[in-house]
Amino acid sequence: MRVFLLLLLVAIALGADTIYRLDSVQASKHGWVGSLSLVEGSSRYGQDLPQLRLTITFQTEDRLRFTISDPNVTRWRVPSFTIADHSLPTGSTNHSKFEVEWTNEPFSLRITRKSDLRVLFDTNVLGGSLTFQDQFLQISTQLGQESAIYGLGEQISNMRLDYRNYTLWTLDEGTVEKKNLYGSHPFYMQVTDGKAHGIFLHSSNGMDVEYTTTDGVDRLTYRVIGGIFDFYVFAGPTPEEVVMQYTKLVGRPYLPPYWSLGFHNCRWGYKDLAEVKEVVKGYKDADIPLETMWTDIDYMDEYRDFTFDPIRFPHDEMKRWVDELHSNGQHYMLIVDPGIQNKSGYFAFDDGEKLNLWVKNRHGESFLGKVWPGLVYFPDWFHPSANEWWQANVQRHHDIAAFDGMWIDMNEIINFCDGDCRGYTAPVSNGTFDPNFPPYGINNAGERKPLNSRSLDMDATHYGGLLQYNVHNLHGYMEARSSTMAMEKIKGERALVISRSTYAGSGSHGGHWTGDNDSTWRSLQMSLPDILNFNMYGVPMIGADICGFNGGTTEELCARWIQIGAFYPFSRDHNAINEKSQELYLWKSVAENARKVLAIRYSILPLYYTLFYEAHEGIVGTVIRPLWFHFPEDIQALDVDEQIFVGKGVLVTPVLTQNATEVTGYFPPSSRWFDFYTFREISGGYVTLPAPLDTIPIHLRGGLILPRQAPSYVLRDAINNPYDIVVVPDYDGRASGSLYLDDGKTIDTREYTYLTFEAQSNGTAGAVASKVQHDSYENSKKIPLGQVSLLGVDRRPTEVEVNGQSFEFDYEESSKTVTVHMKLPISSAFRLTWA
């Protein structure tokens, strides 16, 4: 709106690469549309486009979208089906939480939150920030001072970002820190002065995002090798609200089946079904809960998808064994890779050939890759017959042994050749668009490797002429989407799909595990920021391989890992072939820890399941959270990523170093804290806690009402076990909570019970009430509420009443806890008072 001639002169003096001028702006129904023209160009990575179009749209009250694109040529855009919400405001833009300003020459854009005038996105960067060439797009934003930035994954790093480059390009890079890994999530959250906002670049192209600081001013610079700029801004202002606003756009998290929240076991290297059976028996004999048994690629015939090895995993025995698992209330998961062996007579290959279903190379041939079964073709997930073909093959396999979900691996997409295995030489660039060797090389694998390294050539094509160059980062998303649809259709109920490669919105189709980690203390430590990040990305069904995948674990490491791994949303022990076995029953101390912490996990699974439901419905954003989600104004909390919250009130402080007998945790003094085991109140601040090998510190934050259920060996048998409720008051005596119950499997069920709880006390008297928000799940009327524990009660009450009638209770003076013995179904509304 204002022309800063001084800024123009400074930009020219500093040698700005490119300068665009905003020529005109016109109001639209929901924002503005503007035209930009080139003032000063650069040919560093190509020729700048002479004209650009700016579109600003107020989509919802707390979401703004702006795009910068070519008005003359249709460029690659991420398909619209990756966006779940296309709503636009019904009222005036005055109802928006955003204020938008711009300068004309050089063009810059500033987006501000009205409520506190906080700048959320500001391209007014000296030296010029906007460049738009065919294969190189650049834009920068100033972040201000003393900001904390999180996101831009997937990489192994601390949760709070450091000043460096972040590359988004899906790659099987294992456990290498600070390099691009399996997923692409071009989303970040910024916290400044206790307020949060989010920025999402809806792009599937490869990119570098550089985080730098100059003269105390932080900035992010995007360097993208294709597509357009398509940004979404989320107003927050709390971290949890930012995630809810983000998942509304890209897709709410999938509600997993209840059984998937139990403990899982797997390894690569089980030699036959007999060994797998022995593992299941080993867990049972050790009384360590095992909800789901998995098999890696060992079960396959010649590593071909949808087959069982006829000698080591014969069909009839697999069918009987899976049926036996189901009769015991247990489940079975198996791995599937995307590469289909190109061998005539193999049904999946033959059917795909008939449909012409494969990704094509530059010569129009089916792209020839190589993975575990040898030479393979890769399904084209954009082909209109792909989903039907995939489902038919999953059905064929499921008819042999009724597995309960799919583990999809190698889908970054990985190829043991660099490009087509026929060894074609990449064509020499003709000076225009070059997909294999773009003029700007992103920092792939930390050393700017060619984009087809261990992958497909970037000029490979998908249905409709889509280039691998543009869709590479979407492969895991597409396969997960297809796999979830197939499993739901086949089973007629919710299934678990765990994918290694992910993209924005993948959480709406399934979960993720953090990939091939190491059996090291460092890998244990770094699992926590990874899991916290994926909750922020809207993928809450997330876990790391417990005890580590590569390298031999140790008894102490495995004991400490199951202590925290029991609190991962997706909890699975898994390790690599040729490594020593690490099933949890093999060491006495590990087995003892496993029984203890898994009993705790199973007892609070109602909390996990309720959080998944609430995330699915947009009531909350995350299941697992860092400290700073609840304390964004606490500068000490902003760096903490070695403690995790389950929901708003269960804080876990794991031991992450060898030979430790204590651990220091941070407990923000603004909240009240209680020990999970003893219910005794502790002081806030940095606290050193005793943590012998058989103990992981767990604490309850004031303000929580925690539902718990008596555990059983398998979750099927726990469904009618009694509940208890723990009321944890904050400094004002308030607490709240909720509980969701359904059959654990029905897709989009309308038969459910949802309760909320509220409490208020003054230390000597108070009340707790439950409210039935929805109650159509009949089984909830059979489930008893065993007791209610009231924490922080200064002295023994004279009387406790429930719905106006006196109830029996106990009082523990050392912990100041009242335990009320209830005689009600869990779904009954009640009001409990004490005085």
Side-chain angles (χ1 to χ4, degrees):
M1 293 180 182
R2 291 171 293 173
V3 179
F4 288 106
L5 295 178
L6 178 60
L7 179 60
L8 172 61
L9 294 174
V10 172
I12 294 173
L14 292 175
D17 293 336
T18 306
I19 296 175
Y20 280 95
R21 176 180 60 239
L22 182 61
D23 292 323
S24 64
V25 180
Q26 293 181 334
S28 65
K29 184 176 181 181
H30 300 293
W32 296 281
V33 177
S35 298
L36 282 72
S37 61
L38 184 66
V39 175
E40 181 175 326
S42 167
S43 58
R44 183 184 301 174
Y45 300 116
Q47 295 299 319
D48 291 294
L49 271 63
Q51 294 178 309
L52 298 174
R53 175 183 289 122
L54 169 69
T55 304
I56 301 170
T57 307
F58 295 92
Q59 290 201 315
T60 68
E61 180 185 37
D62 46 32
R63 185 176 80 222
L64 179 145
R65 179 188 187 188
F66 74 90
T67 64
I68 300 175
S69 59
D70 186 341
N72 302 310
V73 176
T74 300
R75 294 174 59 86
W76 164 253
R77 296 182 182 224
V78 183
S80 61
F81 61 72
T82 62
I83 293 296
D85 181 63
H86 296 272
S87 62
L88 292 172
T90 56
S92 165
T93 57
N94 292 331
H95 295 158
S96 171
K97 294 181 180 178
F98 302 98
E99 187 74 43
V100 180
E101 300 175 275
W102 53 78
T103 60
N104 296 78
E105 186 175 339
F107 165 73
S108 69
L109 185 69
R110 175 181 292 176
I111 301 167
T112 306
R113 186 168 49 219
K114 288 180 181 177
S115 61
D116 58 3
L117 303 182
R118 169 61 57 189
V119 175
L120 309 183
F121 201 89
D122 184 4
T123 70
N124 187 2
V125 178
L126 292 181
S129 64
L130 176 61
T131 301
F132 205 116
Q133 301 170 350
D134 195 18
Q135 290 184 268
F136 180 72
L137 286 67
Q138 178 174 284
I139 196 168
S140 298
T141 176
Q142 296 191 72
L143 304 176
Q145 296 178 319
E146 299 181 358
S147 295
I149 307 296
Y150 308 88
L152 300 176
E154 175 182 14
Q155 301 193 30
I156 297 175
S157 65
N158 289 345
M159 195 175 189
R160 184 171 180 174
L161 301 187
D162 301 321
Y163 296 120
R164 64 179 181 86
N165 181 77
Y166 295 83
T167 300
L168 281 72
W169 183 254
T170 59
L171 179 71
D172 175 13
E173 190 62 25
T175 60
V176 181
E177 294 188 27
K178 299 183 179 180
K179 294 184 181 181
N180 49 306
L181 294 181
Y182 311 109
S184 174
H185 295 270
F187 167 80
Y188 74 84
M189 190 185 300
Q190 179 177 345
V191 178
T192 308
D193 298 331
K195 300 290 182 64
H197 69 274
I199 304 292
F200 171 50
L201 174 56
H202 192 213
S203 170
S204 61
N205 289 96
M207 69 183 77
D208 287 335
V209 186
E210 189 176 20
Y211 181 24
T212 58
T213 186
T214 304
D215 298 328
V217 178
D218 293 353
R219 70 180 64 176
L220 285 178
T221 299
Y222 292 83
R223 299 185 179 98
V224 190
I225 59 173
I228 66 169
F229 284 129
D230 188 1
F231 281 99
Y232 293 85
V233 185
F234 307 97
T238 70
E240 197 72 10
E241 286 175 312
V242 172
V243 175
M244 289 189 287
Q245 293 157 10
Y246 175 61
T247 60
K248 181 180 180 181
L249 176 73
V250 300
R252 301 292 192 197
Y254 183 73
L255 179 61
Y258 193 66
W259 61 262
S260 69
L261 300 181
F263 179 72
H264 306 249
N265 184 86
C266 183
R267 81 159 300 169
W268 176 23
Y270 289 133
K271 64 180 182 295
D272 54 27
L273 180 57
E275 185 176 11
V276 174
K277 289 180 177 180
E278 282 300 310
V279 171
V280 176
K281 182 177 183 297
Y283 275 96
K284 181 64 175 177
D285 291 346
D287 196 29
I288 300 172
L290 177 64
E291 187 72 17
T292 307
M293 189 66 194
W294 296 46
T295 52
D296 208 313
I297 58 175
D298 319 284
Y299 78 83
M300 297 178 181
D301 182 15
E302 298 181 0
Y303 299 129
R304 293 182 296 183
D305 285 343
F306 315 117
T307 67
F308 289 106
D309 185 283
I311 306 300
R312 297 179 299 111
F313 295 86
H315 288 193
D316 291 346
E317 291 187 29
M318 285 299 298
K319 178 176 177 56
R320 284 194 296 270
W321 174 67
V322 174
D323 289 346
E324 180 183 337
L325 280 180
H326 290 163
S327 69
N328 293 334
Q330 294 173 298
H331 300 83
Y332 174 51
M333 290 276 294
L334 47 70
I335 198 169
V336 179
D337 293 336
I340 301 297
Q341 186 184 54
N342 63 332
K343 183 176 182 180
S344 181
Y346 169 36
F347 55 86
F349 172 79
D350 291 342
D351 293 347
E353 279 283 275
K354 293 174 185 176
L355 295 168
N356 193 25
L357 195 71
W358 317 118
V359 177
K360 300 297 190 287
N361 65 19
R362 70 178 69 97
H363 301 293
E365 305 164 308
S366 296
F367 189 97
L368 188 64
K370 183 178 182 181
V371 282
W372 300 117
L375 295 176
V376 299
Y377 292 162
F378 295 106
D380 176 3
W381 300 110
F382 291 91
H383 193 288
S385 299
N387 290 339
E388 183 179 355
W389 167 83
W390 190 248
Q391 181 185 318
N393 284 288
V394 175
Q395 178 76 69
R396 186 197 306 261
H397 204 34
H398 193 268
D399 288 344
I400 299 171
F403 51 90
D404 297 285
M406 296 174 67
W407 172 24
I408 51 178
D409 191 19
M410 307 286 286
N411 52 2
E412 290 72 29
I413 182 169
I414 287 303
N415 174 19
F416 294 166
C417 301
D418 292 338
D420 194 295
C421 291
R422 298 179 180 89
Y424 293 129
T425 301
V428 177
S429 171
N430 60 7
T432 56
F433 186 82
D434 188 341
N436 283 299
F437 301 97
Y440 173 79
I442 60 173
N443 194 31
N444 188 28
E447 51 187 284
R448 304 196 183 277
K449 282 186 176 180
L451 299 181
N452 68 350
S453 294
R454 300 190 67 221
S455 190
L456 278 60
D457 290 317
M458 294 301 109
D459 56 1
T461 56
H462 299 253
Y463 187 85
L466 303 181
L467 278 178
Q468 179 69 19
Y469 183 82
N470 292 318
V471 304
H472 172 87
N473 283 344
L474 296 175
H475 191 275
Y477 175 99
M478 299 289 288
E479 187 187 10
R481 180 172 173 261
S482 184
S483 298
T484 297
M485 288 191 293
M487 288 301 302
E488 286 187 346
K489 185 76 176 292
I490 291 165
K491 288 172 60 68
E493 59 187 43
R494 282 175 263 156
L496 177 63
V497 172
I498 295 292
S499 177
R500 191 167 74 174
S501 185
T502 58
Y503 179 72
S506 284
S508 62
H509 304 295
H512 172 60
W513 95 105
T514 62
D516 297 346
N517 62 3
D518 293 326
S519 297
T520 63
W521 292 93
R522 177 64 174 174
S523 234
L524 166 59
Q525 175 190 356
M526 298 310 291
S527 73
L528 297 181
D530 213 351
I531 286 165
L532 293 168
N533 271 325
F534 269 89
N535 272 265
M536 188 175 70
Y537 299 147
V539 190
M541 192 61 174
I542 171 73
D545 286 344
I546 294 170
C547 301
F549 179 75
N550 289 310
T553 194
T554 65
E555 181 174 358
E556 182 190 5
L557 176 60
C558 202
R560 291 302 192 187
W561 210 318
I562 185 56
Q563 285 180 346
I564 184 59
F567 296 94
Y568 297 161
F570 169 53
S571 182
R572 183 187 69 166
D573 177 12
H574 179 48
N575 71 322
I577 195 168
N578 299 324
E579 305 292 356
K580 62 183 180 182
S581 298
Q582 62 184 41
E583 289 79 14
L584 301 182
Y585 54 78
L586 294 176
W587 298 275
K588 181 179 179 181
S589 68
V590 177
E592 290 173 348
N593 271 288
R595 284 188 289 269
K596 180 177 180 179
V597 294
L598 288 174
I600 295 172
R601 175 190 178 86
Y602 278 44
S603 73
I604 64 172
L605 281 187
L607 171 63
Y608 278 85
Y609 196 52
T610 298
L611 289 165
F612 270 104
Y613 163 75
E614 291 175 337
H616 179 66
E617 292 295 320
I619 301 169
V620 302
T622 59
V623 174
I624 301 295
R625 305 162 191 172
L627 272 172
W628 57 267
F629 258 53
H630 293 299
F631 306 96
E633 74 290 341
D634 187 331
I635 60 173
Q636 304 296 329
L638 294 176
D639 291 314
V640 177
D641 57 14
E642 295 184 354
Q643 294 171 276
I644 63 170
F645 264 116
V646 184
K648 70 177 184 179
V650 179
L651 183 63
V652 186
T653 307
V655 174
L656 304 173
T657 55
Q658 190 173 9
N659 299 326
T661 57
E662 58 185 25
V663 63
T664 299
Y666 181 59
F667 301 85
S670 57
S671 272
R672 197 174 181 186
W673 301 96
F674 295 82
D675 184 272
F676 176 87
Y677 302 101
T678 67
F679 290 165
R680 293 177 179 174
E681 190 169 356
I682 72 163
S683 300
Y686 286 98
V687 181
T688 298
L689 306 161
L693 188 58
D694 65 350
T695 301
I696 180 170
I698 309 171
H699 292 83
L700 302 175
R701 176 187 171 216
L704 169 72
I705 296 182
L706 172 66
R708 303 188 301 185
Q709 187 177 32
S712 295
Y713 187 76
V714 293
L715 294 175
R716 177 199 64 186
D717 297 341
I719 192 168
N720 290 323
N721 286 355
Y723 277 78
D724 73 282
I725 293 171
V726 182
V727 180
V728 190
D730 62 16
Y731 283 130
D732 294 324
R734 295 188 178 92
S736 63
S738 54
L739 176 64
Y740 173 80
L741 303 95
D742 65 9
D743 66 4
K745 60 183 181 182
T746 300
I747 301 168
D748 296 329
T749 182
R750 296 183 181 181
E751 297 181 5
Y752 67 92
T753 294
Y754 184 58
L755 312 170
T756 56
F757 307 98
E758 297 286 342
Q760 178 68 62
S761 65
N762 61 12
T764 58
V768 183
S770 70
K771 184 175 182 180
V772 180
Q773 303 291 346
H774 186 94
D775 188 18
S776 59
Y777 178 50
E778 286 298 316
N779 194 63
S780 65
K781 296 176 175 58
K782 305 174 185 177
I783 305 172
L785 173 57
Q787 64 184 35
V788 174
S789 298
L790 310 169
L791 277 56
V793 180
D794 291 335
R795 53 184 181 268
R796 180 183 181 88
T798 57
E799 187 175 41
V800 172
E801 292 186 348
V802 179
N803 296 338
Q805 297 182 0
S806 294
F807 265 60
E808 295 180 0
F809 68 93
D810 299 317
Y811 181 68
E812 174 58 50
E813 188 171 357
S814 63
S815 62
K816 299 181 178 181
T817 301
V818 174
T819 302
V820 184
H821 305 287
M822 305 288 283
K823 302 174 183 177
L824 298 173
I826 186 64
S827 61
S828 296
F830 68 82
R831 179 175 174 80
L832 183 157
T833 60
W834 70 98

